[in-house]
Amino acid sequence: MNKKFLSLWVVDPIKTYAAPARVNLIGEHIDYNGGHVLPCAISLYIKAAVSFNEEKKINLVSEDMKGQISVDLSNTQYDKSYSWASYPIGVIHILREMGYKVDKGLNMLFSSEIPLGSGLSSSAAILVLTTYVLNDLFDLGLSNLEIAKIAIKVEREYCGLSCGIMDQSAIALAQKDKCLYLDCASFEYEYKNAVLEKTKIMILNTKYERKLTDSKYNERVSECQKALSIIKTKYGVDNLCELDPKDLPDIGILLNDDLLYKRVKHCVREEARVKAFVTALDEKDYSLCGKILNESHFSLRDDYEVSGTNLDVITEIARNNPYVYGARMTGAGFGGCAVALVDEEHAYQVKDEVLTKYKERFGYDAEVYLIDTSDGPKVL
Ligand code: ADP
Ligand code: MG
């Protein structure tokens, strides 16, 4: 990275930073419905090398993208042409808008081992990383919770995705060996032990590119809002995840709309699954954890309709292996990654089988990562 940096801007970087990806173990598509989620940061990282410049320019290069994007520090309004660079530029824009003193030009080179657009939240990683870098360089005095909140604001208000609070929080607040049990309605959180005895978290990347994910994502958000507006008054709730699963049949009648009912059913039952999963994890009942993962996948496939053939097949291959407790898609869906809980001793055997069978079925390679949990952003 340093060589590339030097060749780009004829100076050495003054500092290099890193932020992890995250995987959500359970609680999918409910962060924007006031539910609980259980993500942990994982040992795949995006790095940023930085230096100041005297020209008050923001110069951005990513080893994972083509070309260089340069803007004046005083002219950071959203522009479609920024493409990927709208994430770091957005952070600078929003911080300055909030009154933080970010008043020098910067050269930033990013390099990542997080697969992009695959459900491991490379977008939150680049946002949290940039906010962390600026906080450090300009001495802004932000806590990691404030960093998460600013990254959320940027993805929502600058990048235009009506995202929940999970991804940025999972990364900014991460602690090794822990997962974050986060209440997305109140922003309250606690850490749960993620040290799994003789068990490993495995990420299965379908390498199937998600298409139209953002528009489908925003579509689900508005379907849930529509359903909530119908149910809200009668059940006295502010979020779908506050509903009681035993009220589902009556809610179905009230909604009188099959599609909206399926969306609500997923949210309500997924919320119950998160709570059951947390208990099972505390009790080290990995078989039950696995069963809950499987049920979550079926609900995302059939009721929330955000899975896809590749995700269905890769999780089924895993699920059919005797050393896998359970597997489900993770992230927004439609492609990208799944997560599985596997017996540690047989993890490589599981990996080989998934890779072989997946290739037989689709004719191209999946990727499988055996990961550890990780701390949050840091200076290297
Ligand atoms: P996910 O967050 O699941 O990985 P998103 O579609 O939300 O998927 O975010 C992916 C986008 O984030 C990329 O298309 C790109 O714009 C930006 N991004 C993430 N990592 C990098 C990187 N290393 N370099 C440049 N852009 C990145
Ligand atoms: Mg994202």
Side-chain angles (χ1 to χ4, degrees):
M1 244 183 135
N2 283 13
K3 236 176 156 180
K4 169 110 186 187
F5 197 98
L6 189 63
S7 76
L8 280 164
W9 296 303
V10 211
V11 283
D12 283 318
I14 52 166
K15 269 182 167 176
T16 302
Y17 303 79
R22 69 97 185 91
V23 66
N24 185 26
L25 296 178
I26 189 83
E28 209 62 78
H29 276 282
I30 59 171
D31 62 335
Y32 54 85
N33 285 303
H36 286 77
V37 293
L38 195 69
C40 58
I42 60 175
S43 53
L44 292 173
Y45 297 92
I46 177 169
K47 290 183 190 165
V50 293
S51 71
F52 291 111
N53 65 55
E54 298 301 322
E55 292 85 49
K56 299 225 165 187
K57 284 260 182 207
I58 305 300
N59 299 320
L60 302 162
V61 174
S62 168
E63 289 189 347
D64 311 294
M65 299 283 178
K66 284 199 190 100
Q68 174 168 185
I69 309 264
S70 289
V71 296
D72 287 329
L73 186 57
S74 57
N75 187 16
T76 50
Q77 283 296 336
Y78 179 80
D79 190 309
K80 220 176 147 196
S81 70
Y82 294 161
S83 101
W84 69 270
S86 65
Y87 291 92
I89 295 172
V91 172
I92 292 165
H93 185 82
I94 294 279
L95 279 172
R96 282 167 58 91
E97 212 176 60
M98 289 170 81
Y100 288 103
K101 200 166 169 234
V102 176
D103 56 356
K104 283 189 192 164
L106 280 179
N107 308 315
M108 292 184 89
L109 172 64
F110 294 96
S111 177
S112 185
E113 53 189 10
I114 308 169
L116 271 55
S118 300
L120 302 181
S121 225
S122 68
S123 63
I126 194 170
L127 285 170
V128 168
L129 180 61
T130 308
T131 316
Y132 185 88
V133 168
L134 294 170
N135 183 46
D136 186 63
L137 290 178
F138 293 98
D139 231 345
L140 306 180
L142 300 169
S143 67
N144 280 11
L145 180 60
E146 287 167 321
I147 288 176
K149 287 183 176 173
I150 288 164
I152 293 163
K153 194 172 156 75
V154 176
E155 191 148 2
R156 283 183 183 160
E157 292 174 18
Y158 195 90
C159 305
L161 193 75
S162 28
C163 65
I165 64 167
M166 169 173 65
D167 299 345
Q168 301 80 357
S169 311
I171 292 169
L173 300 170
Q175 288 185 7
K176 189 165 166 50
D177 296 333
K178 304 280 177 197
C179 33
L180 192 74
Y181 184 43
L182 175 67
D183 180 340
C184 298
S186 65
F187 222 126
E188 277 167 22
Y189 58 89
E190 59 183 292
Y191 292 94
K192 292 279 172 191
N193 203 347
V195 183
L196 306 169
E197 280 161 25
K198 297 183 183 143
T199 306
K200 269 271 177 203
I201 299 169
M202 191 179 262
I203 311 282
L204 318 171
N205 186 351
T206 61
K207 302 285 277 185
Y208 178 78
E209 213 184 306
R210 309 180 309 191
K211 290 179 193 102
L212 294 172
T213 313
D214 288 3
S215 64
K216 284 280 172 197
Y217 182 94
N218 287 333
E219 184 182 292
R220 291 295 174 278
V221 174
S222 60
E223 286 164 355
C224 290
Q225 282 165 349
K226 190 171 170 203
L228 181 65
S229 70
I230 301 169
I231 299 166
K232 212 176 155 87
T233 320
K234 179 164 179 202
Y235 289 90
V237 294
D238 292 324
N239 288 301
L240 291 181
C241 289
E242 284 172 52
L243 293 163
D244 191 329
K246 73 174 184 328
D247 288 330
L248 277 173
D250 288 341
I251 290 166
I253 296 165
L254 177 63
L255 283 171
N256 191 26
D257 180 321
D258 282 349
L259 187 122
L260 291 187
Y261 178 61
K262 287 206 284 185
R263 306 300 189 244
V264 174
K265 191 162 70 163
H266 167 74
C267 295
V268 174
R269 291 193 174 157
E270 185 75 357
E271 172 71 0
R273 279 189 286 270
V274 177
K275 290 174 180 160
F277 190 94
V278 166
T279 310
L281 200 59
D282 279 344
E283 290 169 1
K284 302 192 169 75
D285 185 347
Y286 302 130
S287 300
L288 182 55
C289 287
K291 185 169 169 270
I292 297 168
L293 290 180
N294 292 338
E295 283 164 2
S296 171
H297 184 85
F298 302 142
S299 174
L300 289 158
R301 181 189 67 191
D302 303 332
D303 287 336
Y304 216 66
E305 296 178 284
V306 289
S307 187
T309 312
N310 297 62
L311 283 167
D312 291 342
V313 168
I314 207 162
T315 50
E316 194 178 310
I317 296 170
R319 214 173 280 130
N320 288 340
N321 185 298
Y323 300 112
V324 174
Y325 293 105
R328 67 173 199 89
M329 57 153 275
T330 185
F334 306 104
C337 291
V339 59
L341 208 55
V342 305
D343 179 58
E344 187 169 25
E345 227 181 286
H346 297 90
Y348 285 95
Q349 199 175 315
V350 171
K351 177 177 173 173
D352 285 347
E353 190 190 83
V354 169
L355 290 174
T356 310
K357 290 198 168 161
Y358 188 86
K359 186 157 192 187
E360 270 167 28
R361 173 73 163 74
F362 293 105
Y364 58 89
D365 289 311
E367 267 176 19
V368 173
Y369 324 108
L370 271 163
I371 53 92
D372 290 312
T373 59
S374 169
D375 277 326
K378 56 184 175 240
V379 183
L380 292 178

